[in-house]
Amino acid sequence: MNRRSLLTASAASGLALASSAQAADTTNTNADASNPGPDNPSLLGQFPSSFTAPDTDHGDVPNLWFPFSQAHRRIEAGGWSRQVTVQDFPVAKSIAGVNMRLTVGGIRELHWHLPAEWAFMLTGRAQITSVDQDGRNFVANVGPGDLWYFPSGIPHSIQGLEPDGCEFLLAFDDGKFSEFDTLSISDWFAHTPKEVLAKNFSVDPTIFADIPKKELYIFQGKVSSAQPTAHGGPDVVAQPFNFSLGSKAPDFQTKSGAVRIADSRNFPISKTIAAALVNVSPGGMRELHWHPNADEWQYWIGGQARMTVFTAGGRARTFDFHPGDVGYVPRGMAHYIENTGLDDVRYLELFNSSYYSDVSLSNWMAGTPHDLVAQHLHVSQGFVDGLPRQKHPVVPA
């Protein structure tokens, strides 16, 4: 056998082995994906895209999902709270979240934070109060779909109202911030000598004989008789700290959903958090897009969805979401969100920014020379010619 014959025989043998291996791969697909060892079946059922990922998923992408249901609940007389910070969700560096419930009369005590506080009312009714650095006051009653925003250092309080108190989401513009690092009025009084308090207020020290010995945080009280302040009064804050997002007209709407945006352009006081409330009907999809200005922190309110995030370098990963979950997409990372259930998907997109911004894949392609796009993707120019120039953030089903 000469050298050429030997090479030919080796090549044929290699092809046969490759063909055999391919056949074996096809034959053993189910075996390759089997999981005979221990596992948590309830979680597997909720997160099919992690257990059996789409073929397009690839590479090492950090975890971009965390549920509030795994967060510790701090239960007090008057309500409870639980939080998601970088301690539990390391990728979420720009925003920390708190889920809080107050009973009727339950009070989140007078306090302030170093980060700014943004909030979305989930259920019930609450009364919020504040006084700004110029001594101007603010009182408002808020309900489902309403927002509030208190800038860094501005003191405030929250109280649950009839008929069933309230539950809300808080977001802070610092992923490291813990709700339990709040500066509270009761805590400050408890750690200030009574003679100093007496001198400050020009009263007898006995006035402070019964002040709390530690922070109240959340406590049960009586519903305040305070009435909402009228905007524009001389002693009222110049810019309201509340905003009705849920009832505003959609900024974008199709037959399969809507997007409502709140940022400093229509909610001027909110300088460090921009938000969008997104609704996606069954079969609909939040289109392929990315955000150029900030990381996206998500809170899932209703429905069931999946999200694939593409992080460059051939890396992509798919996650499943349910109510109460938190999602995260680093700035500039491409993604979509698809309704995979039978009910409407409703979720919040939050950004540590003064303004909301996104870039649509379809919009980008439609605005680029069409023959150039067609050459990149090996599609017909007719397909690119048919792309709409206007944005459709929720793709119709």
Side-chain angles (χ1 to χ4, degrees), residues 43 46-47 63-73 82-85 88-90 97-99 169 297-300 319-328:
L43 288 179
Q46 291 184 61
F47 308 106
N63 178 43
L64 303 176
W65 161 89
F66 189 84
F68 262 110
S69 57
Q70 287 189 17
H72 169 71
R73 256 198 328 161
R82 54 187 178 178
Q83 64 180 8
V84 175
T85 72
D88 297 302
F89 197 23
V98 173
N99 180 206
L169 173 77
W297 192 95
Q298 303 164 345
Y299 179 74
W300 294 79
F319 301 86
D320 298 288
F321 291 93
H322 304 85
D325 288 349
V326 174
Y328 200 81

Side-chain angles (χ1 to χ4, degrees), residues 357-378:
S357 175
D358 72 348
V359 179
S360 159
L361 172 62
S362 178
N363 202 227
W364 175 35
M365 292 169 62
T368 300
H370 294 182
D371 58 344
L372 184 63
V373 175
Q375 291 180 74
H376 276 75
L377 301 176
H378 300 175

Side-chain angles (χ1 to χ4, degrees), residues 255-331:
K255 67 177 185 178
S256 286
V259 178
R260 293 172 170 83
I261 296 169
D263 61 16
S264 60
R265 290 169 287 195
N266 57 1
F267 186 22
I269 197 70
S270 187
K271 295 291 196 297
T272 63
I273 297 208
L277 177 61
V278 182
N279 285 67
V280 183
S281 300
M285 188 175 84
R286 175 73 172 91
E287 67 168 341
L288 292 156
H289 68 286
W290 70 94
H291 301 278
N293 60 322
D295 294 357
E296 175 181 341
W297 192 95
Q298 303 164 345
Y299 179 74
W300 294 79
I301 301 169
Q304 178 178 313
R306 71 173 182 175
M307 173 178 73
T308 296
V309 178
F310 169 66
T311 67
R315 298 185 298 274
R317 186 175 173 187
T318 302
F319 301 86
D320 298 288
F321 291 93
H322 304 85
D325 288 349
V326 174
Y328 200 81
V329 183
R331 181 173 64 89

